[in-house]
Amino acid sequence: MNEQTGRSPIDAQAAIKLLFPDLSLLARLDQMSVAAGSRVKGTLAGKRRSSSLGGSQEFADYRPYAPGDDIRRLDWNVYGRTGRAYMRQYWDEQELTVHMLVDVSRSMSYGEESEHNKLRFALRLAACIGYASLTGEDRVTARLFGDNGLNRELEPLRGRSSLPQLFQFFGKAMPGSQAAAQPAGTGSDFTAQRPAVLSLDEALGGLRGRPMRAGVTFLITDAMYETGIEEAILRLIAAGQKVVFVHVLSPEELNPALSGELKLIDSELGSGKDVAIAYPLLAQYKQAVDQYREDLSRLCGERGVQYMFISSADSLTEVINRELLQHGVLRSKT
């Protein structure tokens, strides 16, 4: 389902202010592009030189015609001279397709007023990756998925001129934006009261949610799903994706400052539980979080997926330099 109408408008300039509190980051991103990796092949002519033969306009070589070949690439001059059919081949300057899947479930929105809100961080990170992709002349798609029936998708974009559309798409979802703050009943997907989806694969739409083009997929989520994580990863791999699993947790989730007798509310289900919190319970909780991160990292490693853990307290500049560049997710254009 494409992006719906009926939302409060947010212009590109307002979206930029929400997504890029430090505008100097844009100049840094101008020098970067998404690294395809050896697994991914582009599908359309672009600016990314490949060692494979494809469909750009720079001639490479001839090869004999084979049944099923596109006869528009037949060299009729050669055929007229030799009586044999030969196909023209060209060096493929491939266009990479970059898919961004951003989790906007209730757990991502927890602590909306917090400086380290996970959803705000995830959308800003996605905007950075999208900016580097579009200025690098790659193709970009984006989808917001969650547990309340939300499944908004942005039409595929190309080129720097598409940046305002990308920023508006993510800006509308930002906590505190006019579009995201509509009260229930006004048509906002973000406030619709629907049953929580506890499977990541289901939240992504299963078979229907797979990207249509091979490329690089950034899956940005807090991974707070009971099931479906491995299934979702396998579906993306089967769709020809190089998957980058970006696991985001807030500092409050990593080191909760809780004590005493409290009632904790599940942000996904809305159910509560009375607990008495003391140091032994907090230590057990932290151990469980560390174990879950290790399990996800191992699962991704076994499937050839790049796993990155990020705290929403980290600065975007640090994340781009420390995680994306150093681990080869982004690369310098020069």
Side-chain angles (χ1 to χ4, degrees), residues 110-117 120 252:
Y110 176 75
E112 181 175 317
E113 302 303 321
S114 170
E115 178 185 358
H116 306 309
N117 174 266
R120 184 180 293 110
E252 294 86 355

Side-chain angles (χ1 to χ4, degrees), residues 111-146:
E112 181 175 317
E113 302 303 321
S114 170
E115 178 185 358
H116 306 309
N117 174 266
K118 290 180 291 184
L119 178 57
R120 184 180 293 110
F121 182 90
L123 292 166
R124 285 174 173 169
L125 179 60
C128 288
I129 296 168
Y131 183 91
S133 301
L134 290 176
T135 57
E137 301 191 48
D138 287 326
R139 176 187 176 102
V140 171
T141 72
R143 172 175 292 171
L144 308 179
F145 68 92

